[in-house]
Amino acid sequence: MNVQGILPYARTLLQEIVRSGDTVVDATAGNGHDTLFLANLVGDNGKVISCDIQDEAIMATNERIQKASMSKRVKLHHIGHEHLNQLPSFQTAEIRAAIFNLGYLPKGDKGITTTGDTTIQAIEQIYSKLSKEGRIVLVIYHGHPEGKIEKDDVLHYVSNLPQEEAHVASYQFINQRNNPPFVVVIEKR
């Protein structure tokens, strides 16, 4: 059996569909790893819309993007993902894919976390701009109090998306301790 880890699998889900010239979203820039990954996928003619509410996340992502000479491909915004629809670059785009790493910034302030209500708002905004067969990938970290609430809220929301409009699937390890993260993917039909 060749089982992928959670983060490699999330990236595989994106790599399968994102092509050069696409517009994609990193809804939780964090330390910039996914923003850079997406910038490589979209090529010179594509665009990554990346956002985060934390100064240190914006600085880390910007540094990573600058170091890789990818700044022309990335629009980095210091906002919460629930405000994506206020960005002109988002308003005019057709989105091919998006990724969320829910929870808190690794090595950051654990008191600042994503929340179910803002994440659902962002999912709705992205889904409305998503191309047919486009994907929203959610990596759900739920090993902290707010994460458990967010997990329940998000799972309730995505479980109720009409099957005529979207395929929703999850990928998780069921024999690991300590609330391992898992992936939920929404694919627009």
Side-chain angles (χ1 to χ4, degrees):
M1 176 168 40
N2 185 16
V3 176
Q4 284 189 335
I6 293 300
L7 293 177
Y9 183 69
R11 289 186 173 180
T12 295
L13 290 167
L14 298 168
Q15 203 166 6
E16 287 175 348
I17 64 161
V18 176
R19 299 290 174 252
S20 181
D22 284 342
T23 299
V24 297
V25 174
D26 183 351
T28 51
N31 288 310
H33 298 286
D34 288 332
T35 298
L36 182 58
F37 175 77
L38 290 168
N40 279 301
L41 291 180
V42 301
D44 288 334
N45 297 319
K47 181 172 34 178
V48 180
I49 300 168
S50 182
C51 64
D52 207 292
I53 61 168
Q54 295 187 66
D55 290 330
E56 59 264 41
I58 295 298
M59 289 187 295
T61 300
N62 190 48
E63 184 179 321
R64 189 172 305 282
I65 295 308
Q66 294 289 334
K67 204 177 275 187
S69 300
M70 295 283 184
S71 55
K72 288 186 177 182
R73 299 178 186 189
V74 177
K75 298 265 190 209
L76 188 56
H77 302 278
H78 189 200
I79 61 168
H81 50 224
E82 72 274 20
H83 300 295
L84 281 164
N85 62 358
Q86 296 173 11
L87 303 173
S89 60
F90 181 81
Q91 293 168 357
T92 59
E94 180 178 63
I95 306 299
R96 184 63 178 155
I99 188 163
F100 292 73
N101 276 288
L102 303 179
Y104 52 81
L105 179 65
K107 299 179 184 161
D109 181 349
K110 293 181 181 177
I112 302 172
T113 69
T114 53
T115 63
D117 61 334
T118 60
T119 296
I120 291 167
Q121 288 175 52
I123 292 169
E124 289 173 337
Q125 291 170 27
I126 293 167
Y127 189 81
S128 74
K129 308 287 289 170
L130 203 61
S131 64
K132 185 177 180 178
E133 297 178 355
R135 291 179 182 163
I136 299 172
V137 177
L138 303 143
V139 183
I140 301 177
Y141 293 87
H142 58 105
H144 55 99
E146 184 57 47
K148 290 177 184 10
I149 296 166
E150 183 177 31
K151 175 192 79 162
D152 292 343
D153 291 349
V154 169
L155 287 179
H156 176 76
Y157 174 78
V158 301
S159 297
N160 287 291
L161 289 171
Q163 68 179 13
E164 298 80 22
E165 296 175 19
H167 296 291
V168 180
S170 67
Y171 179 81
Q172 61 190 17
F173 294 108
I174 59 175
N175 68 334
Q176 292 184 2
R177 295 179 197 88
N178 302 322
N179 305 301
F182 63 99
V183 170
V184 170
V185 61
I186 304 164
E187 184 175 270
K188 194 168 193 176
R189 295 183 73 175

